[in-house]
Amino acid sequence: MSRINDSELPLSLLQFYSTAAYPCSYLSGEKAVSQVATPTHLISTEVYGDLVRRGFRRSGVFSYRPNCEECRACVPVRLPIQRFQPNRSQRRCLKEHGTLRARERPLMYVDEHYRLYLRYQAARHLGGGMDQDDHEQYSRFLLQSRVDTRLIEFTENGVLRMVSIIDVLNDGLSSVYTFYDPDVAGASFGTYNILWQIAQCAANDLPYLYLGYWIRDSHKMAYKTRFRPIEGLIDDEWREFEDSDLKVGQR
């Protein structure tokens, strides 16, 4: 386990405020409150890495973390790369998607990417609000960044299949958002993408892959715990989850 040491964090110039309550995106009928770090122009890649280790994420240029008074359901999670071993299903996924080709592209608007994003949202998150994003909302969400961000495009025989936005930190990669072709029967693009990011961490001697938040009772989050071992930030400590921690309904 590793404890957060505030004296090591170069955050003294930042200010933090809480948002008003808004509908929770993950738990139906619940309200959420976020803590936001400001001013955004002071959040460099180094500072953002410190924030991520404290449980923050970003949406565009805004860095935030859950700050709900009576709920602690959102748990930041990360994978310790050196200890990860793919299971049988994951090894099969790597083999089945071996024809995918990854290429880094400039962090800029591409209409083909945006159209794929809308298809993905309509198929996987219909009614969630993001399926109605116009190109400006899409750009603010994924293409605006003040940190070291990479846009990776995955193609298969020249056909766009997936786009992934990744932040490069000094101790790992932070997976910002991935969207993919929802119409390929039997595909496991999301799983492949995480395995690809793990491989990138290993190749660049980066010890962690940060996967954002995990919520035990959210089925949309369940895929994250299929990668083991996995660590969660609980009471300012990163610790490895036990099997019992990951069971739905356990508190």
Side-chain angles (χ1 to χ4, degrees):
M1 294 186 294
S2 58
R3 178 172 286 278
I4 301 298
N5 185 341
D6 286 351
S7 65
E8 297 176 354
L9 302 176
L11 306 178
S12 60
L13 296 179
L14 297 184
Q15 295 181 331
F16 300 87
Y17 71 89
S18 292
T19 67
Y22 56 90
C24 179
S25 301
Y26 303 109
L27 299 177
S28 179
E30 298 292 335
K31 293 288 187 179
V33 174
S34 292
Q35 184 182 53
V36 180
T38 61
T40 59
H41 70 271
L42 293 182
I43 301 177
S44 63
T45 296
E46 179 182 359
V47 172
Y48 181 63
D50 290 335
L51 288 171
V52 169
R53 285 184 285 278
R54 291 172 63 99
F56 280 77
R57 299 286 289 168
R58 72 172 184 86
S59 176
V61 299
F62 296 100
S63 300
Y64 68 94
R65 67 179 175 184
N67 194 34
C68 303
E69 186 172 330
E70 298 180 357
C71 179
R72 295 294 181 268
C74 294
V75 180
V77 292
R78 70 184 185 184
L79 303 178
I81 299 304
Q82 290 187 344
R83 298 172 54 213
F84 172 76
Q85 292 292 331
N87 60 31
R88 184 176 180 180
S89 174
Q90 290 161 352
R91 291 194 298 270
R92 184 169 61 249
C93 174
L94 286 171
K95 183 177 180 179
E96 290 176 350
H97 292 300
T99 57
L100 285 172
R101 295 293 176 261
R103 178 176 62 153
E104 183 176 347
R105 298 286 302 273
L107 191 66
M108 60 183 293
Y109 179 83
V110 176
D111 194 58
E112 185 181 19
H113 294 172
Y114 173 61
R115 292 197 305 270
L116 178 63
Y117 173 85
L118 290 181
R119 287 174 52 213
Y120 171 80
Q121 295 296 341
R124 298 302 175 97
H125 303 291
L126 185 64
M130 294 168 67
D131 55 315
Q132 301 297 320
D133 282 358
D134 59 29
H135 71 274
E136 292 183 357
Q137 292 169 307
Y138 162 82
S139 296
R140 285 196 298 269
F141 172 39
L142 294 179
L143 305 180
Q144 291 186 4
S145 172
R146 295 183 183 274
V147 300
D148 186 358
T149 301
R150 313 294 173 86
L151 187 156
I152 310 298
E153 176 188 88
F154 295 82
T155 59
E156 184 177 41
N157 300 320
V159 178
L160 179 65
R161 294 299 190 198
M162 181 163 53
V163 174
S164 188
I165 310 295
I166 305 165
D167 290 335
V168 182
L169 311 177
N170 61 9
D171 71 336
L173 298 179
S174 177
S175 186
V176 178
Y177 201 76
T178 295
F179 54 95
Y180 50 81
D181 190 335
D183 300 323
V184 180
S188 299
F189 293 132
T191 296
Y192 177 86
N193 183 265
I194 292 178
L195 294 169
W196 183 88
Q197 292 184 37
I198 290 171
Q200 294 302 303
C201 287
N204 291 280
D205 295 320
L206 297 171
Y208 298 109
L209 174 61
Y210 292 88
L211 291 177
Y213 303 117
W214 170 73
I215 299 175
R216 182 183 289 110
D217 294 331
S218 172
H219 293 294
K220 292 180 180 179
M221 301 288 194
Y223 72 92
K224 298 182 182 184
T225 59
R226 298 183 191 127
F227 300 85
R228 308 289 289 276
I230 189 169
E231 298 178 351
L233 182 63
I234 300 175
D235 296 329
D236 290 334
E237 284 190 357
W238 287 101
R239 66 174 181 85
E240 183 177 332
F241 282 125
E242 303 292 340
D243 289 344
S244 59
D245 296 325
L246 304 175
K247 291 181 180 179
V248 174
Q250 295 292 321
R251 293 288 182 184

